[in-house]
Amino acid sequence: MGTVYLTGAGPGDIELLTVKALRIIKEADVIIYDRLANPDILEEAKNGCEFLYVGKEDSHHTLPQEEINELIYQSALKYETVVRLKGGDPLVFGRGGEEGIYLHERNIKFEFIPGITSAIAVPEYAGIPVTHRGLTVSFRVVTGHEAKKSQSQIPWKNFKSDDTIIFLMGLHNLDKITKKLIEVGKPKDYPVAVISRGTRADEKTIIGTLEDIYEKAKDLPTPALIVVGRVVNLQSQLKWFEK
Ligand code: SAH
């Protein structure tokens, strides 16, 4: 029986892969990877390494999670070194925990290899620090996928403060998210950024307010994330990658 490495691929720029992830990828017998993991990383694998693509675009999974779990398990019965490669960090909306539990229940050895999460690195490439002395004392990373549900578990009422809020998987709900935040009392001119395809050559950032960002950014290509907070204003001084 093999070992499964639940591995973060980083946000896109291939150089944001960790040294540890790169070492395990070079040793892998099979790599099971998502849409968000930069496929150029696969070129680092040894000859004969098997590649299994399991897709996953926000909620439109190519393979249902249960089948992905089973595929990882079956791979561990067959191979010594199994890499499960995921965009960003495997445990930030990455379902790495579910995969770990599935393996634990079947007595398969696994390790987590953290990755640089898009939640922090993508704003950083856009010139937006998630915290900044004097502007914000904390940041939250929130799923934007739930905003359309009537039974949303998101604590919207807590979002009145000046915490930086980073929504992942939220572009399709941008209209609902901004309306909710205005509803709970945030000013209409509160700063928002949408960053599309962050850390990649075609990264694009659009800056706006809760009131106008939807019209400005709704057609941006995915993956994209939303940053809400006073820190967004720093982009005028800290922009670097898109220059
Ligand atoms: N585990 C990942 C997040 C998975 S959820 C991580 O830690 O980064 C998928 C969401 O992440 C996307 O819908 C998008 O909101 C965000 N995302 C991932 N890569 C991105 C990128 N390069 N640019 C912008 N957003 C990205």
Side-chain angles (χ1 to χ4, degrees):
M1 272 194 295
T3 302
V4 176
Y5 296 89
L6 299 161
T7 306
D13 180 345
I14 189 166
E15 290 195 292
L16 295 179
L17 192 65
T18 65
V19 174
K20 187 166 185 177
L22 185 59
R23 175 171 64 78
I24 296 295
I25 285 163
K26 285 182 192 290
E27 291 171 12
D29 300 306
V30 58
I31 300 177
I32 303 163
Y33 67 105
D34 280 359
R35 185 188 66 105
L36 282 178
N38 185 338
D40 292 348
I41 292 171
L42 303 178
E43 284 167 28
E44 302 294 332
K46 67 184 180 193
N47 276 340
C49 176
E50 194 182 341
F51 302 123
L52 301 173
Y53 177 70
V54 293
K56 240 187 186 187
E57 181 168 345
D58 297 350
S59 65
H60 320 293
H61 304 182
T62 305
L63 268 191
Q65 186 64 42
E66 185 67 20
E67 284 174 40
I68 295 175
N69 295 348
E70 182 61 22
L71 183 68
I72 298 169
Y73 169 59
Q74 292 298 332
S75 300
L77 298 178
K78 217 166 123 190
Y79 295 106
E80 201 172 315
T81 304
V82 178
V83 170
R84 170 68 176 118
L85 191 64
K86 295 162 165 293
D89 182 88
L91 298 182
V92 178
F93 298 120
R95 306 191 73 166
E98 289 161 66
E99 294 170 2
I101 290 168
Y102 196 87
L103 297 169
H104 164 77
E105 286 171 346
R106 285 157 188 80
N107 282 313
I108 300 289
K109 265 200 309 191
F110 65 88
E111 291 185 19
F112 289 116
I113 302 182
I116 295 183
T117 180
S118 65
I120 296 170
V122 167
E124 190 162 340
Y125 265 52
I128 301 170
V130 294
T131 69
H132 190 81
R133 204 178 160 91
L135 286 184
T136 161
V137 292
S138 68
F139 65 88
R140 303 165 177 263
V141 181
V142 180
T143 172
H145 182 61
E146 265 217 346
K148 62 171 172 282
K149 294 190 191 159
S150 49
Q151 297 283 316
S152 169
Q153 289 177 41
I154 298 172
W156 294 101
K157 288 206 176 68
N158 299 344
F159 291 176
K160 265 185 299 186
S161 67
D162 272 326
D163 297 345
T164 304
I165 317 171
I166 299 130
F167 288 96
L168 302 187
M169 304 177 285
L171 189 63
H172 303 301
N173 289 325
L174 182 57
D175 194 29
K176 298 204 175 65
I177 289 168
T178 49
K179 283 191 176 131
K180 279 268 190 196
L181 292 173
I182 293 170
E183 220 176 276
V184 299
K186 276 199 182 294
K188 284 181 180 164
D189 63 354
Y190 204 76
V192 187
V194 176
I195 309 154
S196 160
R197 304 187 56 78
T199 81
R200 304 177 196 210
D202 56 348
E203 171 179 311
K204 188 162 186 210
T205 301
I206 300 224
I207 306 284
T209 63
L210 283 176
E211 193 164 40
D212 68 13
I213 192 75
Y214 173 68
E215 278 310 320
K216 285 170 134 178
K218 62 178 196 283
D219 297 323
L220 280 176
T222 58
L225 59 74
I226 305 160
V227 187
V228 180
R230 304 238 175 254
V231 288
V232 166
N233 292 332
L234 297 170
Q235 197 250 10
S236 59
Q237 294 158 84
L238 294 179
K239 184 173 172 173
W240 61 279
F241 184 65
E242 287 171 61
K243 266 190 180 163

